[in-house]
Amino acid sequence: MRIAFEEIDYLRPTLISHPHLRHAIQPHSSGHDAWGFRNERVPISTEILTIGDSLTYGVAATADESWPSWLQRLSGKKVYNLALGGFGTSDYEWLLKHKAYQLKPKTVYIAIYLGNDLYRKQIGNEKRAQSPTIQPPSRFQGWAGLVREYLSRNSMLYQVTKLNLSRLAYRLKSMTTNQGNTALIPLHFKHINTVLTPRRFPHEEDEIKLGMSRATNDTKRMMTECSAQPYDCVFLILPTKESVYYDLAREALSATTFDPIRTQDRAESIMRNEISSVINERGFVVIDLLPSMKNAATLNSLYPENDDGHPNGTGYRVIANAIAQTL
C-alpha cells in the first residue's frame, strides 16, 4: 500500500506543543521533514519560501498537489513550504523572524486567507512562551479508540479506506441537505458539485474590526522584518470558496438561500480592501487570487464535493499558476 500512496498524504501526524506557535507537527512524523513541515527534507537553501495556514499546507490535496508544489513545477524554482493548518498572522510573524532567514530564500510568499486569518483568535508570542499550546486530547477513547488511533498513524490501508468512506458520506449528506439550511448550502450547478458554508465566518462589524486590528499589527511587523532582510516579501490574499463561487451561486440559488453568501462576501470585501491597503502603503506587492480563481471556476471544479473550504488539486494549481505568472 505504501508503494501506491505517500504516508505524508494519508497518515495522521503527531501534534506537539510549541513555545511560540499555535502548535507544531513532531519532526519526521508521518512523512513530514525535520522541522515538522510538509516537505521531503529541510534544504540548506531555497529560492522560494511559502508561509501560511492549511490552504498553503495543502489540506484536501496530496503534497504534490499543494500550491507550493505546483509553483515549484511551474516555475522551475526550489520551493520550501513553511505552513500548517491552524496558523494565523501571529504565527506567520514568528516563522518569518525565526525560520525564513535560515533557508536564505530570494522570495518569501506570505499567504493570508480571508476565511479566518484576519479574525482567528491571535495569541501574543509572549503569552505563548508562558503558556504553550498543549497537545489536544485524542479523539479516540477506550481500547477500540487506541486501536483506531494507532491505525490512523501507522496504517495506510486504514486511512485510505476511511477517507473514501468519508467522501461517500459527505456526498450523500450534500444530496440530502435541506435547501433552507443556511449553515450548509448545496451548490449543484453546471460543472460544480459542492457545499457552501457561509455561516462559519463572522459578519458582525465589531468582530471584523477586532480581527483586522490584530492582523494588521502582525502584518506591519512582518513588513518591518522583511525590510531588514535581503529577500523579497510578497503577500497573497486567498479568498473563501463562497467568494470564488459567488457568481455561480447567485445564478443557481434562490434569493433567500443566497443571502448569507452575499453577507459573507460583503464582509470579505471589506477585509480584502483594508489589508491590501495596509500592505500597499508600505510598498509591498499584494497578489489577490480571487480574480484568477473566479475566472477558473467558470470552467473547472476547484473544491471538493463536500463542505470543505480548501481547494482541490485543480484549485491549488490555479493559485500557483497565477503566482508563477508574476515571477
Side-chain angles (χ1 to χ4, degrees):
M1 180 62 69
R2 296 201 179 200
I3 296 176
F5 299 97
E6 295 292 337
E7 63 180 41
I8 197 170
D9 298 326
Y10 295 95
L11 295 186
R12 181 171 176 247
T14 299
L15 284 180
I16 58 175
S17 63
H18 191 281
H20 303 290
L21 299 173
R22 192 170 304 273
H23 50 230
I25 288 179
Q26 181 175 296
H28 302 297
S29 173
S30 302
H32 292 75
D33 66 23
W35 282 0
F37 290 98
R38 203 181 192 190
N39 308 276
E40 290 185 4
R41 65 185 64 85
V42 179
I44 296 175
S45 64
T46 189
E47 294 174 274
I48 294 173
L49 181 73
T50 62
I51 295 177
D53 65 358
S54 55
L55 271 81
T56 300
Y57 176 93
V59 167
T62 65
D64 281 345
E65 291 183 317
S66 68
W67 73 255
S69 291
W70 277 118
L71 182 60
Q72 178 167 279
R73 292 195 292 276
L74 292 171
S75 68
K77 299 178 182 294
K78 291 190 295 182
V79 178
Y80 183 83
N81 190 356
L82 195 64
L84 186 58
F87 279 3
T89 51
S90 58
D91 300 289
Y92 306 163
E93 180 192 351
W94 190 88
L95 291 170
L96 191 63
K97 289 182 177 180
H98 300 279
K99 288 291 187 182
Y101 76 92
Q102 297 185 46
L103 298 180
K104 309 179 211 43
K106 295 180 180 178
T107 305
V108 175
Y109 287 99
I110 302 165
I112 298 174
Y113 172 50
L114 294 179
N116 51 30
D117 278 359
L118 301 189
Y119 66 82
R120 190 195 302 275
K121 182 179 180 182
Q122 305 294 333
I123 304 174
N125 288 342
E126 297 80 7
K127 292 184 179 180
R128 292 188 191 190
Q130 298 170 10
S131 180
T133 303
I134 303 300
Q135 166 74 8
S138 172
R139 297 173 297 172
F140 310 117
Q141 304 298 324
W143 286 105
L146 291 175
V147 173
R148 289 172 60 194
E149 179 158 14
Y150 175 82
L151 292 174
S152 72
R153 299 185 191 281
N154 296 276
S155 172
M156 200 80 75
L157 177 60
Y158 174 81
Q159 286 294 88
V160 171
T161 302
K162 186 174 73 170
L163 176 63
N164 288 330
L165 289 175
S166 296
R167 286 173 175 169
L168 177 60
Y170 269 120
R171 187 173 293 114
L172 293 174
K173 179 181 178 182
S174 70
M175 292 172 62
T176 59
T177 298
N178 186 343
Q179 284 286 348
N181 180 1
T182 57
L184 294 171
I185 302 177
L187 180 61
H188 305 299
F189 183 63
K190 297 181 179 179
H191 55 284
I192 303 299
N193 288 289
T194 192
V195 179
L196 305 180
T197 57
R199 292 300 187 191
R200 282 184 178 175
F201 309 111
H203 306 130
E204 297 300 324
E205 186 176 355
D206 289 344
E207 289 182 274
I208 296 174
K209 286 183 177 179
L210 179 60
M212 282 299 305
S213 176
R214 291 166 171 167
T216 295
N217 289 333
D218 292 336
T219 302
K220 287 180 177 178
R221 288 191 291 269
M222 283 191 276
M223 290 188 286
T224 297
E225 176 67 18
C226 289
S227 297
Q229 297 296 337
Y231 50 72
D232 295 323
C233 284
V234 178
F235 290 84
L236 309 175
I237 306 298
L238 301 179
T240 64
K241 175 164 70 171
E242 289 69 32
S243 286
V244 171
Y245 284 158
Y246 182 90
D247 294 336
L248 291 166
R250 181 174 55 186
E251 186 177 352
L253 304 175
S254 68
T256 301
T257 304
F258 180 70
D259 188 60
I261 298 172
R262 188 196 313 276
T263 301
Q264 177 186 309
D265 187 72
R266 187 181 303 118
E268 191 171 325
S269 294
I270 293 172
M271 294 188 289
R272 177 184 296 104
N273 292 336
E274 290 193 15
I275 196 68
S276 295
S277 177
V278 167
I279 297 170
N280 283 324
E281 285 176 0
R282 294 283 294 271
F284 286 86
V285 175
V286 180
I287 301 177
D288 180 7
L289 279 304
L290 180 59
S292 295
M293 296 194 74
K294 287 186 75 169
N295 183 60
T298 62
L299 298 174
N300 303 280
S301 179
L302 306 183
Y303 293 87
E305 295 182 359
N306 54 43
D307 61 352
D308 194 336
H310 300 90
N312 56 26
T314 301
Y316 285 129
R317 181 168 185 170
V318 170
I319 293 172
N321 187 63
I323 298 168
Q325 290 179 8
T326 68
L327 293 174

